[in-house]
Amino acid sequence: MTGTTTGNGAWVRRFHTASAPGARLVCFPHAGGAASFFFPVSKQLSPALDVLAIQYPGRQDRRREPCVEDIATLADRLTAELLPLTDQPLAFFGHSMGAVVAFEVTRRLEKAGTSPIVLFASGRRAPSSLRQESVHRAGDRAMIAELQRLDGTDARMLDDPELLRMILPTLRSDYKAVETYRCEPPEAAVSCPVVTLIGDTDPHVTREECLRWKTHTSGQFDMHVFNGGHFYLNAHAASVMEIIVERIGEISPVK
């Protein structure tokens, strides 16, 4: 279930066709995640929105490609892929690592003279909120324990040695990218509105760390807190999508 490309190579996937030109919602996956994570979002929100999902190298049909272990490099490559799609209003939704990638792509697009109409940053502390983390240097058992702690991976996968052999290198590379990320300069800000969404028991982000996103935008800032952990959005998908549609509709009417 890889979906179709948009004409922009392997990076951007469209699972469903939008009925009419309008806003495009670009979804950036979490560490170890793939474009298919957003298939339910595309199914629910298309055709009202043109939902696009990013496929990073090193997973699913791109599993033979080397992962990108640096957020800046990943953002540079994605900016080049997304610039041709700015003929229609873009909205960004990034979860966890994807929120950081979306923020950095937004910075680059704004330097190029364009910008998403809104950035949804989910499950991630503000770019300037640093923690000393080194899960990517740990052994496989520690990586598996991290997956269990976040409760976002099917338990059957964690019991399958063959699947673990396939996903752990990609996960480790993604963790290296996000754990070594540093926002430069630390006070960097975008001009578009930023909407943050977190779970109230997420071990990777506190309310205070989430509130600091406010310093990274000169536009409007909103925060939504849900019951749940790092993958709170699995249990609150309907509410999250309602927020997305409502916020985009305020800026660019949803047909």
Side-chain angles (χ1 to χ4, degrees):
M1 188 166 56
T2 57
T4 60
T5 64
T6 62
N8 290 51
W11 289 86
V12 184
R13 304 299 166 87
R14 178 184 284 116
F15 296 110
H16 302 89
T17 302
S19 60
R24 287 177 170 142
L25 175 65
V26 183
C27 301
F28 298 76
H30 53 281
S36 58
F37 180 78
F38 293 106
F39 183 89
V41 177
S42 175
K43 183 177 181 180
Q44 180 67 30
L45 299 186
S46 299
L49 292 174
D50 186 15
V51 180
L52 306 176
I54 298 300
Q55 185 78 310
Y56 306 133
R59 63 219 70 209
Q60 292 184 337
D61 58 321
R62 301 190 71 185
R63 63 186 178 276
R64 299 188 185 280
E65 300 177 48
C67 296
V68 179
E69 297 184 339
D70 176 73
I71 295 295
T73 301
L74 189 57
D76 287 343
R77 295 184 183 179
L78 277 168
T79 300
E81 297 292 331
L82 292 174
L83 269 171
L85 299 175
T86 57
D87 58 319
Q88 294 174 217
L90 295 182
F92 287 171
F93 182 96
H95 181 64
S96 194
M97 183 183 86
V100 174
V101 178
F103 173 74
E104 289 295 337
V105 172
T106 299
R107 292 179 64 192
R108 287 156 174 76
L109 286 178
E110 291 190 346
K111 287 182 180 179
T114 187
S115 177
I117 57 176
V118 59
L119 166 61
F120 297 96
S122 168
R124 182 67 191 179
R125 56 190 176 271
S128 58
S129 293
L130 299 181
R131 293 188 187 183
Q132 296 302 316
E133 298 174 315
S134 57
V135 175
H136 71 279
R137 295 196 185 99
D140 288 350
R141 288 186 179 180
M143 294 292 294
I144 295 170
E146 171 72 1
L147 291 176
Q148 293 171 328
R149 183 170 75 114
L150 297 182
D151 197 27
T153 305
D154 190 328
R156 291 171 296 181
M157 293 184 64
L158 301 180
D159 292 332
D160 189 320
E162 183 65 19
L163 283 175
L164 284 175
R165 184 184 65 81
M166 293 174 61
I167 68 173
L168 284 180
T170 299
L171 186 69
R172 190 179 303 280
S173 292
D174 286 355
Y175 264 72
K176 180 180 179 180
V178 74
E179 289 181 343
T180 58
Y181 166 74
R182 297 295 181 268
C183 182
E184 295 293 343
E187 69 276 8
V190 296
S191 62
C192 69
V194 171
V195 178
T196 60
L197 309 94
I198 61 169
D200 60 1
T201 60
D202 188 341
H204 279 305
V205 54
T206 65
R207 291 173 185 249
E208 291 72 21
E209 289 172 323
C210 183
L211 279 171
R212 291 176 195 159
W213 273 99
K214 189 174 183 178
T215 67
H216 291 281
T217 178
S218 59
Q220 183 179 346
F221 171 81
D222 295 297
M223 183 173 77
H224 300 269
V225 181
F226 296 87
N227 294 328
H230 192 62
F231 286 94
Y232 74 91
L233 67 177
N234 289 334
H236 299 283
S239 296
V240 171
M241 286 188 276
E242 183 179 348
I243 290 169
I244 291 172
V245 171
E246 181 179 347
R247 193 70 183 90
I248 293 176
E250 291 173 358
I251 305 169
S252 178
V254 177
K255 298 182 182 298

